[in-house]
Structures are given as C-alpha cells and as structure tokens.
Short mmCIF file of all heavy atoms in Angstrom, two decimals:
data_model
loop_
_atom_site.label_atom_id
_atom_site.label_comp_id
_atom_site.label_asym_id
_atom_site.label_seq_id
_atom_site.Cartn_x
_atom_site.Cartn_y
_atom_site.Cartn_z
N GLY A 1 0.82 -1.22 0.00
CA GLY A 1 0.00 0.01 0.00
C GLY A 1 0.85 1.25 0.00
O GLY A 1 0.56 2.23 -0.70
N LEU A 2 1.94 1.24 0.77
CA LEU A 2 2.86 2.38 0.81
C LEU A 2 3.62 2.51 -0.51
O LEU A 2 3.92 3.61 -0.96
CB LEU A 2 3.80 2.28 1.99
CG LEU A 2 4.73 3.49 2.25
CD1 LEU A 2 3.93 4.79 2.29
CD2 LEU A 2 5.50 3.30 3.54
N LEU A 3 3.96 1.38 -1.11
CA LEU A 3 4.59 1.40 -2.41
C LEU A 3 3.69 2.13 -3.41
O LEU A 3 4.17 2.92 -4.25
CB LEU A 3 4.91 -0.01 -2.90
CG LEU A 3 5.46 -0.14 -4.32
CD1 LEU A 3 6.78 0.57 -4.44
CD2 LEU A 3 5.59 -1.62 -4.71
N GLY A 4 2.41 1.87 -3.32
CA GLY A 4 1.46 2.57 -4.21
C GLY A 4 1.50 4.07 -3.99
O GLY A 4 1.47 4.86 -4.95
N ARG A 5 1.57 4.48 -2.73
CA ARG A 5 1.65 5.93 -2.46
C ARG A 5 2.92 6.52 -3.01
O ARG A 5 2.93 7.61 -3.56
CB ARG A 5 1.58 6.16 -0.93
CG ARG A 5 1.75 7.60 -0.51
CD ARG A 5 0.69 8.49 -1.13
NE ARG A 5 -0.65 8.13 -0.66
CZ ARG A 5 -1.78 8.64 -1.13
NH1 ARG A 5 -1.71 9.55 -2.11
NH2 ARG A 5 -2.94 8.26 -0.67
N LEU A 6 4.03 5.78 -2.91
CA LEU A 6 5.29 6.27 -3.47
C LEU A 6 5.21 6.40 -4.99
O LEU A 6 5.78 7.31 -5.59
CB LEU A 6 6.43 5.33 -3.10
CG LEU A 6 6.78 5.26 -1.60
CD1 LEU A 6 7.94 4.27 -1.37
CD2 LEU A 6 7.17 6.63 -1.05
N ALA A 7 4.48 5.47 -5.64
CA ALA A 7 4.30 5.55 -7.08
C ALA A 7 3.55 6.80 -7.48
O ALA A 7 3.84 7.43 -8.50
CB ALA A 7 3.60 4.30 -7.59
N VAL A 8 2.56 7.17 -6.66
CA VAL A 8 1.83 8.41 -6.90
C VAL A 8 2.77 9.60 -6.80
O VAL A 8 2.79 10.49 -7.66
CB VAL A 8 0.64 8.56 -5.91
CG1 VAL A 8 -0.02 9.94 -6.07
CG2 VAL A 8 -0.38 7.46 -6.12
N GLU A 9 3.60 9.61 -5.75
CA GLU A 9 4.55 10.72 -5.54
C GLU A 9 5.59 10.76 -6.64
O GLU A 9 6.09 11.84 -6.97
CB GLU A 9 5.21 10.56 -4.17
CG GLU A 9 4.29 10.73 -3.00
CD GLU A 9 5.02 10.63 -1.66
OE1 GLU A 9 6.26 10.68 -1.66
OE2 GLU A 9 4.35 10.51 -0.63
N ALA A 10 5.89 9.61 -7.22
CA ALA A 10 6.90 9.58 -8.30
C ALA A 10 6.38 10.18 -9.60
O ALA A 10 7.18 10.49 -10.48
CB ALA A 10 7.33 8.14 -8.53
N GLY A 11 5.05 10.35 -9.69
CA GLY A 11 4.50 11.01 -10.87
C GLY A 11 3.81 10.12 -11.86
O GLY A 11 3.46 10.56 -12.96
N PHE A 12 3.57 8.85 -11.51
CA PHE A 12 2.79 8.01 -12.41
C PHE A 12 1.40 8.60 -12.56
O PHE A 12 0.83 9.11 -11.59
CB PHE A 12 2.71 6.59 -11.87
CG PHE A 12 3.95 5.74 -12.13
CD1 PHE A 12 4.97 5.65 -11.21
CD2 PHE A 12 4.11 5.10 -13.35
CE1 PHE A 12 6.10 4.88 -11.48
CE2 PHE A 12 5.22 4.35 -13.62
CZ PHE A 12 6.23 4.24 -12.70
N ASP A 13 0.86 8.54 -13.75
CA ASP A 13 -0.41 9.19 -14.01
C ASP A 13 -1.61 8.40 -13.52
O ASP A 13 -2.70 8.98 -13.34
CB ASP A 13 -0.55 9.45 -15.52
CG ASP A 13 0.53 10.38 -16.02
OD1 ASP A 13 0.64 11.50 -15.50
OD2 ASP A 13 1.31 9.98 -16.90
N TRP A 14 -1.45 7.10 -13.28
CA TRP A 14 -2.53 6.30 -12.72
C TRP A 14 -1.88 5.16 -11.92
O TRP A 14 -0.97 4.47 -12.42
CB TRP A 14 -3.42 5.71 -13.80
CG TRP A 14 -4.74 5.16 -13.30
CD1 TRP A 14 -5.79 5.90 -12.84
CD2 TRP A 14 -5.12 3.79 -13.22
NE1 TRP A 14 -6.84 5.04 -12.48
CE2 TRP A 14 -6.44 3.76 -12.71
CE3 TRP A 14 -4.48 2.59 -13.53
CZ2 TRP A 14 -7.13 2.56 -12.50
CZ3 TRP A 14 -5.19 1.40 -13.32
CH2 TRP A 14 -6.48 1.39 -12.82
N VAL A 15 -2.30 5.00 -10.67
CA VAL A 15 -1.74 3.98 -9.81
C VAL A 15 -2.89 3.20 -9.19
O VAL A 15 -3.84 3.78 -8.66
CB VAL A 15 -0.87 4.60 -8.70
CG1 VAL A 15 -0.33 3.53 -7.76
CG2 VAL A 15 0.28 5.43 -9.28
N LEU A 16 -2.77 1.86 -9.27
CA LEU A 16 -3.81 0.96 -8.73
C LEU A 16 -3.18 -0.05 -7.79
O LEU A 16 -2.22 -0.73 -8.17
CB LEU A 16 -4.53 0.25 -9.88
CG LEU A 16 -5.47 -0.88 -9.50
CD1 LEU A 16 -6.67 -0.36 -8.73
CD2 LEU A 16 -5.92 -1.69 -10.73
N TYR A 17 -3.72 -0.13 -6.60
CA TYR A 17 -3.35 -1.22 -5.68
C TYR A 17 -4.13 -2.44 -6.14
O TYR A 17 -5.20 -2.74 -5.64
CB TYR A 17 -3.69 -0.82 -4.25
CG TYR A 17 -3.17 -1.73 -3.16
CD1 TYR A 17 -3.28 -1.33 -1.81
CD2 TYR A 17 -2.58 -2.96 -3.42
CE1 TYR A 17 -2.82 -2.17 -0.77
CE2 TYR A 17 -2.13 -3.78 -2.41
CZ TYR A 17 -2.25 -3.39 -1.08
OH TYR A 17 -1.80 -4.19 -0.09
N GLU A 18 -3.58 -3.14 -7.12
CA GLU A 18 -4.35 -4.15 -7.84
C GLU A 18 -4.56 -5.44 -7.09
O GLU A 18 -5.61 -6.06 -7.17
CB GLU A 18 -3.67 -4.45 -9.20
CG GLU A 18 -4.51 -5.24 -10.13
CD GLU A 18 -3.93 -5.23 -11.56
OE1 GLU A 18 -2.72 -5.12 -11.70
OE2 GLU A 18 -4.74 -5.32 -12.51
N SER A 19 -3.55 -5.88 -6.39
CA SER A 19 -3.66 -7.10 -5.57
C SER A 19 -2.78 -6.94 -4.33
O SER A 19 -1.98 -6.01 -4.26
CB SER A 19 -3.23 -8.32 -6.38
OG SER A 19 -1.84 -8.41 -6.46
N ARG A 20 -2.90 -7.86 -3.41
CA ARG A 20 -2.10 -7.74 -2.18
C ARG A 20 -0.63 -7.95 -2.43
O ARG A 20 0.20 -7.68 -1.55
CB ARG A 20 -2.59 -8.80 -1.17
CG ARG A 20 -4.03 -8.55 -0.70
CD ARG A 20 -4.41 -9.46 0.46
NE ARG A 20 -5.79 -9.28 0.83
CZ ARG A 20 -6.24 -8.29 1.59
NH1 ARG A 20 -5.41 -7.42 2.09
NH2 ARG A 20 -7.54 -8.20 1.89
N SER A 21 -0.27 -8.38 -3.65
CA SER A 21 1.14 -8.64 -3.92
C SER A 21 1.78 -7.65 -4.88
O SER A 21 3.00 -7.65 -5.05
CB SER A 21 1.30 -10.04 -4.52
OG SER A 21 0.56 -10.15 -5.75
N HIS A 22 0.98 -6.77 -5.52
CA HIS A 22 1.63 -5.84 -6.46
C HIS A 22 0.81 -4.58 -6.72
O HIS A 22 -0.39 -4.53 -6.47
CB HIS A 22 1.96 -6.54 -7.78
CG HIS A 22 0.79 -6.66 -8.72
ND1 HIS A 22 -0.09 -7.73 -8.66
CD2 HIS A 22 0.35 -5.87 -9.71
CE1 HIS A 22 -0.99 -7.58 -9.59
NE2 HIS A 22 -0.77 -6.44 -10.26
N ILE A 23 1.52 -3.60 -7.24
CA ILE A 23 0.95 -2.32 -7.67
C ILE A 23 1.00 -2.24 -9.20
O ILE A 23 2.00 -2.62 -9.80
CB ILE A 23 1.73 -1.13 -7.07
CG1 ILE A 23 1.53 -1.04 -5.56
CG2 ILE A 23 1.31 0.20 -7.70
CD1 ILE A 23 0.14 -0.71 -5.09
N HIS A 24 -0.06 -1.76 -9.79
CA HIS A 24 -0.05 -1.47 -11.22
C HIS A 24 0.01 0.05 -11.40
O HIS A 24 -0.74 0.79 -10.76
CB HIS A 24 -1.32 -2.01 -11.86
CG HIS A 24 -1.48 -1.63 -13.33
ND1 HIS A 24 -0.91 -2.36 -14.34
CD2 HIS A 24 -2.13 -0.58 -13.90
CE1 HIS A 24 -1.22 -1.77 -15.50
NE2 HIS A 24 -1.97 -0.70 -15.26
N ALA A 25 0.93 0.51 -12.25
CA ALA A 25 1.08 1.94 -12.46
C ALA A 25 1.25 2.19 -13.97
O ALA A 25 1.91 1.41 -14.65
CB ALA A 25 2.26 2.50 -11.71
N SER A 26 0.71 3.31 -14.44
CA SER A 26 0.82 3.62 -15.86
C SER A 26 0.99 5.12 -16.08
O SER A 26 0.79 5.91 -15.16
CB SER A 26 -0.39 3.10 -16.64
OG SER A 26 -1.58 3.70 -16.16
N VAL A 27 1.32 5.47 -17.32
CA VAL A 27 1.60 6.87 -17.65
C VAL A 27 0.91 7.28 -18.95
O VAL A 27 0.50 6.43 -19.73
CB VAL A 27 3.13 7.12 -17.80
CG1 VAL A 27 3.85 6.86 -16.50
CG2 VAL A 27 3.71 6.28 -18.93
N ARG A 28 0.82 8.58 -19.13
CA ARG A 28 0.34 9.12 -20.39
C ARG A 28 1.39 8.89 -21.49
O ARG A 28 2.54 8.55 -21.20
CB ARG A 28 0.05 10.60 -20.24
CG ARG A 28 -0.99 10.95 -19.22
CD ARG A 28 -1.24 12.45 -19.19
NE ARG A 28 -2.29 12.83 -18.27
CZ ARG A 28 -2.11 13.48 -17.13
NH1 ARG A 28 -0.91 13.83 -16.79
NH2 ARG A 28 -3.15 13.77 -16.35
N GLU A 29 0.99 9.12 -22.70
CA GLU A 29 1.88 8.94 -23.80
C GLU A 29 3.02 9.96 -23.73
O GLU A 29 2.87 11.05 -23.16
CB GLU A 29 1.17 9.07 -25.14
CG GLU A 29 0.51 10.41 -25.38
CD GLU A 29 -0.20 10.49 -26.72
OE1 GLU A 29 0.26 9.86 -27.68
OE2 GLU A 29 -1.21 11.17 -26.78
N ASP A 30 4.16 9.64 -24.31
CA ASP A 30 5.28 10.56 -24.34
C ASP A 30 4.88 11.85 -25.03
O ASP A 30 4.14 11.84 -26.02
CB ASP A 30 6.47 9.94 -25.10
CG ASP A 30 7.15 8.85 -24.30
OD1 ASP A 30 6.87 8.72 -23.10
OD2 ASP A 30 7.96 8.11 -24.89
N GLY A 31 5.39 12.97 -24.52
CA GLY A 31 5.08 14.25 -25.12
C GLY A 31 3.95 14.98 -24.43
O GLY A 31 3.70 16.16 -24.73
N PHE A 32 3.25 14.30 -23.51
CA PHE A 32 2.18 14.96 -22.79
C PHE A 32 2.79 16.06 -21.93
O PHE A 32 3.78 15.85 -21.25
CB PHE A 32 1.43 13.97 -21.93
CG PHE A 32 0.18 14.56 -21.30
CD1 PHE A 32 -1.04 14.46 -21.91
CD2 PHE A 32 0.25 15.23 -20.07
CE1 PHE A 32 -2.18 15.00 -21.33
CE2 PHE A 32 -0.86 15.78 -19.49
CZ PHE A 32 -2.10 15.64 -20.13
N SER A 33 2.18 17.23 -21.97
CA SER A 33 2.74 18.38 -21.24
C SER A 33 2.48 18.24 -19.73
O SER A 33 1.37 17.98 -19.31
CB SER A 33 2.12 19.70 -21.73
OG SER A 33 2.55 20.77 -20.93
N ASP A 34 3.53 18.43 -18.96
CA ASP A 34 3.41 18.42 -17.51
C ASP A 34 3.23 19.85 -16.97
O ASP A 34 3.18 20.04 -15.77
CB ASP A 34 4.66 17.83 -16.85
CG ASP A 34 4.59 16.32 -16.74
OD1 ASP A 34 3.48 15.79 -16.62
OD2 ASP A 34 5.63 15.66 -16.82
N LYS A 35 3.18 20.84 -17.86
CA LYS A 35 3.07 22.22 -17.39
C LYS A 35 1.74 22.44 -16.71
O LYS A 35 0.71 21.97 -17.19
CB LYS A 35 3.21 23.19 -18.57
CG LYS A 35 4.61 23.22 -19.15
CD LYS A 35 4.75 24.28 -20.22
CE LYS A 35 3.85 24.03 -21.40
NZ LYS A 35 4.05 25.05 -22.46
N PRO A 36 1.71 23.15 -15.57
CA PRO A 36 0.48 23.31 -14.82
C PRO A 36 -0.58 24.13 -15.55
O PRO A 36 -1.74 23.99 -15.31
CB PRO A 36 0.92 24.02 -13.53
CG PRO A 36 2.18 24.72 -13.90
CD PRO A 36 2.84 23.82 -14.90
N TRP A 37 -0.14 25.03 -16.44
CA TRP A 37 -1.14 25.86 -17.12
C TRP A 37 -1.12 25.56 -18.61
O TRP A 37 -0.18 25.81 -19.31
CB TRP A 37 -0.87 27.34 -16.92
CG TRP A 37 -1.78 28.15 -17.82
CD1 TRP A 37 -1.43 28.74 -19.00
CD2 TRP A 37 -3.15 28.42 -17.63
NE1 TRP A 37 -2.52 29.37 -19.55
CE2 TRP A 37 -3.60 29.19 -18.72
CE3 TRP A 37 -4.07 28.09 -16.62
CZ2 TRP A 37 -4.89 29.63 -18.84
CZ3 TRP A 37 -5.36 28.54 -16.75
CH2 TRP A 37 -5.76 29.29 -17.85
N ASP A 38 -2.12 24.98 -19.12
CA ASP A 38 -2.38 24.81 -20.53
C ASP A 38 -3.89 24.73 -20.67
O ASP A 38 -4.43 23.75 -21.14
CB ASP A 38 -1.73 23.53 -21.08
CG ASP A 38 -0.30 23.77 -21.55
OD1 ASP A 38 0.02 24.91 -21.86
OD2 ASP A 38 0.46 22.81 -21.62
N GLY A 39 -4.57 25.79 -20.24
CA GLY A 39 -6.03 25.76 -20.25
C GLY A 39 -6.59 26.65 -21.34
O GLY A 39 -6.82 27.83 -21.11
N CYS A 40 -6.78 26.08 -22.49
CA CYS A 40 -7.16 26.89 -23.64
C CYS A 40 -7.99 26.09 -24.64
O CYS A 40 -8.14 24.87 -24.54
CB CYS A 40 -5.89 27.39 -24.36
SG CYS A 40 -4.62 28.08 -23.33
N PHE A 41 -8.51 26.82 -25.63
CA PHE A 41 -9.19 26.24 -26.76
C PHE A 41 -8.23 26.24 -27.95
O PHE A 41 -7.32 27.05 -28.02
CB PHE A 41 -10.46 27.03 -27.11
CG PHE A 41 -11.40 27.20 -25.96
CD1 PHE A 41 -11.45 28.36 -25.23
CD2 PHE A 41 -12.25 26.14 -25.61
CE1 PHE A 41 -12.33 28.52 -24.16
CE2 PHE A 41 -13.11 26.28 -24.52
CZ PHE A 41 -13.16 27.47 -23.81
#
C-alpha cells in the first residue's frame, strides 16, 4: 500500500493497488505536457 503511495509521488499518471502482492502503475503517452497551465481552446 505504501509502495502505491510512493508511485503516486513519483508522478505516475494512474496507480492501482491491484492485488495484495503488487501495484499497477501507468503513464500518459510521451510528449504529454506536465506544465500546470495549458487551459485553452
């Protein structure tokens, strides 16, 4: 469970405590902007 929290802190875009034995973590596609402001049309 704590490993899952560390994965969130590491910046994975989605983290799931999938089973008692492992964490599943995934990311957006390469090139996705991490900038906090990109709110436009």
Side-chain angles (χ1 to χ4, degrees):
L2 186 51
L3 174 62
R5 176 59 63 188
L6 294 179
V8 174
E9 293 182 13
F12 280 94
D13 298 301
W14 194 72
V15 178
L16 171 66
Y17 189 171
E18 191 166 31
S19 77
R20 296 189 184 278
S21 60
H22 80 273
I23 292 294
H24 173 86
S26 60
V27 297
R28 299 182 177 110
E29 62 180 326
D30 287 348
F32 187 93
S33 175
D34 275 329
K35 291 186 296 183
W37 170 259
D38 271 338
C40 313
F41 305 100

